[in-house]
Amino acid sequence: MKSAFTLRRRAVENGDGANHRRLGPDGIASATRELAREASRLQTGYVYHYAFVMLIGVVALVTWYLLPR
């Protein structure tokens, strides 16, 4: 039993803990924060920009729907 605890402690010390922080909840939160930061740079606050993007989305959706499969 003592060897299992020693093995786990060594695994955490040698990188398992770093991988957990990078890929676990901390990594997800960090990726979300970076994505939000990048998305906020695209937002100008002008209504006509939002309307233009919505128009592009509607055109893309209608085109996708009408294309023969």
Side-chain angles (χ1 to χ4, degrees):
M1 188 72 157
K2 185 176 181 179
S3 62
F5 288 117
T6 304
L7 179 64
R8 183 195 177 280
R9 184 170 29 95
R10 287 185 182 161
V12 169
E13 290 171 355
N14 291 332
D16 188 43
N19 286 332
H20 177 72
R21 283 188 294 276
R22 184 172 55 89
L23 300 173
D26 294 340
I28 293 170
S30 176
T32 303
R33 189 175 345 156
E34 287 298 318
L35 181 64
R37 184 176 295 135
E38 292 298 321
S40 70
R41 293 200 300 172
L42 296 174
Q43 296 177 347
T44 62
Y46 294 118
V47 175
Y48 65 89
H49 283 168
Y50 295 119
F52 183 64
V53 170
M54 286 175 57
L55 180 65
I56 290 173
V58 168
V59 168
L61 187 63
V62 168
T63 302
W64 176 76
Y65 181 73
L66 293 178
L67 282 177
R69 295 173 201 215

